[in-house]
Amino acid sequence: MLRSFRKSLPTALTIALACVAFSATLLRAQTSVPGPLTVETKEIVDETGRTLHVPVSIERIVSLAPSLTETIYALGLQDRLVGDTDYCDYPPDALKKAKVGGAVNPNFEKIAALRPDLVLVTKSINRLDTVRALDTLGIPSYATDPHTVDEIISSTEKLATVLGAPDTGKSLGEDMVRRLAVLQTKLKDVQPSRVLFIVWMEPLISIGKDTFIADALHKAGAISIVDSAKDWPQTNLEEVVRLQPEYLVFAASHSENAARDFDVLASRPGWRILEAVHNRRFAVISEAVNRPAPRIVSAIEELARQLHPEAFSDAPPVPGKDAPPSSTPPPPPQKPASPKNVAEAFPADQECPCAR
Ligand code: B12
């Protein structure tokens, strides 16, 4: 699957670019109506160190990643979003935007036709080829590249500043920081759970230690058993058996169906000897964990609740009201065999938004 993507991409890109260069010329000819001769521009540097020139006021934005689309909405700048990808499904209003194809294989003709002032890309899904193709077309692209949750926050604030909304960015960032601090207080006494985060099933792909997902797990009271310097390392059963994770963690909609994924894994020869599989210890959290955007805080909270329910007991009971008699202390918190009933959460007929 990955191989076929890699093989077909350069050819598709060449054909697409030839068409787009032609259409862009036509478009320029058609739009050469009287108007301001020059647009005032400013110079900005993106998170990968690329310098670009953009209009001082950025009014037309195309997003090439669900995370960036979510960030634009979280900043309240959605009216400026003129196009996004087939995978941009949150918030639901993002589905109504003009679609420019996939994140990995966008349609450059569609992008050019939307006349964006700026295209937003991120290293956590978009390809260098895409950025180069946009450069060839003279369309500026701003890339983000956060590797930790804190960097997601600073990246959000920086993008807000680039788009002329620094105050909104700052208050959004402060809200994320505050929610994470509340969570850390709740989790201060928990023992981190050792987990295998499953990015992809075939081949088995997990996360490296320098990814924003590894940091998100950490903030949720978990630690990835995979200790790789590669961002998206392939692993295998032998390695996983050796490391014996306490839980398997799936994101709801990266692979096609998380509930099915667990059952597929569990039915594979050898996987039953994993204690987590034997005891059906797995967590399914929102796809937001795969997206370096403000909603990742909700995914972190969600995972923390599933792995450490004991840390989320409600406010202490008021003495003499709901409290049990002092002679019968409350039972110790029990970890559920499965943090969530996945089959219930993801019925078999529910299609994944990123289904191939
Ligand atoms: C690992 C993986 C991820 C990782 C990171 C992906 C990545 N960087 O490639 C994570 C978990 C973050 C991820 C997230 C998502 N993914 Co994913 N993911 C994969 C997977 C399993 C492997 C991809 C891979 O091998 N990556 C390794 C290499 C290619 O990536 P890399 O090491 O980061 O290196 C690249 C970048 O650094 C970039 N780069 C290098 N220099 C520069 C410089 C600049 C400026 C830029 C912009 C980029 C750039 O180019 C490098 C390679 O060319 C594929 C499925 C498959 N088996 O192929 C799906 C896949 C790519 N994902 C997919 C999808 C749909 C998603 C999500 C939208 C899922 C969701 N519903 O949320 C999110 C989007 C995240 C976002 N930012 O919004 C689709 C994309 C479909 C498409 N046509 O666009 C695929 C093909 C799966 C599928 N079939 O549905 N994914």
Side-chain angles (χ1 to χ4, degrees):
M1 155 80 215
L2 179 57
R3 237 178 264 135
S4 67
F5 238 114
R6 282 179 180 159
K7 265 189 191 164
S8 58
L9 210 61
T11 325
L13 211 66
T14 315
I15 299 168
L17 278 180
C19 297
V20 176
F22 178 67
S23 318
T25 315
L26 276 182
L27 213 89
R28 266 195 296 274
Q30 283 164 11
T31 54
S32 61
V33 285
L37 283 177
T38 51
V39 178
E40 208 190 331
T41 62
K42 61 181 175 184
E43 186 178 281
I44 53 175
V45 179
D46 76 8
E47 291 176 16
T48 64
R50 295 159 60 244
T51 300
L52 44 144
H53 294 91
V54 292
V56 169
S57 175
I58 298 165
E59 301 298 336
R60 299 179 66 81
I61 302 167
V62 168
S63 157
L64 291 188
S67 54
L68 295 162
T69 296
E70 292 199 14
T71 305
I72 294 294
Y73 274 88
L75 291 170
L77 301 176
Q78 59 272 18
D79 290 349
R80 301 195 212 164
L81 189 67
V82 295
D84 64 14
T85 74
D86 298 343
Y87 296 91
C88 296
D89 56 2
Y90 189 91
D93 189 66
L95 291 162
K96 298 185 198 148
K97 298 287 178 182
K99 296 293 162 189
V100 299
V104 167
N105 53 344
N107 180 317
F108 296 98
E109 193 168 14
K110 286 185 178 162
I111 296 174
L114 290 168
R115 293 177 290 108
D117 294 327
L118 186 60
V119 172
L120 301 178
V121 291
T122 177
K123 275 183 85 175
S124 73
I125 190 75
N126 302 121
R127 299 289 175 258
L128 188 53
D129 284 351
T130 299
V131 166
R132 289 191 175 137
L134 291 169
D135 284 349
T136 308
L137 294 168
I139 300 172
S141 58
Y142 177 92
T144 66
D145 187 26
H147 283 255
T148 63
V149 175
D150 284 353
E151 283 179 19
I152 293 174
I153 296 171
S154 56
S155 173
T156 302
E157 291 176 352
K158 193 172 171 211
L159 182 59
T161 302
V162 164
L163 299 176
D167 294 344
T168 320
K170 194 163 173 281
S171 60
L172 180 58
E174 282 167 359
D175 186 54
M176 292 168 75
V177 170
R178 185 191 51 74
R179 282 171 65 188
L180 288 166
V182 169
L183 184 64
Q184 293 324 300
T185 309
K186 288 191 196 301
L187 297 179
K188 68 180 186 322
D189 296 326
V190 307
Q191 179 73 21
S193 306
R194 298 174 65 258
V195 306
L196 172 68
F197 186 93
I198 298 180
V199 171
W200 200 252
M201 293 268 293
E202 193 60 57
L204 188 61
I205 297 179
S206 188
I207 51 164
K209 58 185 175 192
D210 292 329
T211 57
F212 64 91
I213 300 180
D215 192 41
L217 295 184
H218 183 71
K219 289 198 160 24
I223 183 158
S224 167
I225 55 158
V226 178
D227 181 24
S228 171
K230 285 190 183 157
D231 280 353
W232 316 109
Q234 269 192 40
T235 184
N236 54 53
L237 175 63
E238 291 68 37
E239 185 64 0
V240 177
V241 167
R242 191 178 67 77
L243 297 166
Q244 282 290 352
E246 290 172 75
Y247 291 97
L248 307 187
V249 180
F250 297 86
S253 68
H254 192 226
S255 51
E256 286 179 354
N257 184 313
R260 206 190 59 192
D261 278 356
F262 180 83
D263 290 331
V264 168
L265 265 190
S267 67
R268 283 186 187 172
W271 279 81
R272 282 241 155 236
I273 55 171
L274 268 190
E275 279 172 34
V277 171
H278 188 72
N279 298 322
R280 292 189 71 80
R281 290 191 132 190
F282 63 102
V284 180
I285 52 172
S286 151
E287 77 287 352
V289 73
N290 279 335
R291 302 179 178 185
R295 200 163 58 108
I296 199 163
V297 176
S298 305
I300 294 170
E301 292 165 342
E302 202 186 334
L303 180 61
R305 277 183 185 275
Q306 291 189 40
L307 296 177
H308 304 290
E310 72 279 8
F312 292 85
S313 49
D314 290 317
V318 179
K321 202 175 169 215
D322 297 316
S326 56
S327 54
T328 51
Q334 300 274 319
K335 284 214 175 189
S338 161
K340 190 169 184 175
N341 184 337
V342 183
E344 215 172 79
F346 299 97
D349 58 356
Q350 189 177 315
E351 267 301 309
C352 158
C354 69
R356 285 150 289 177

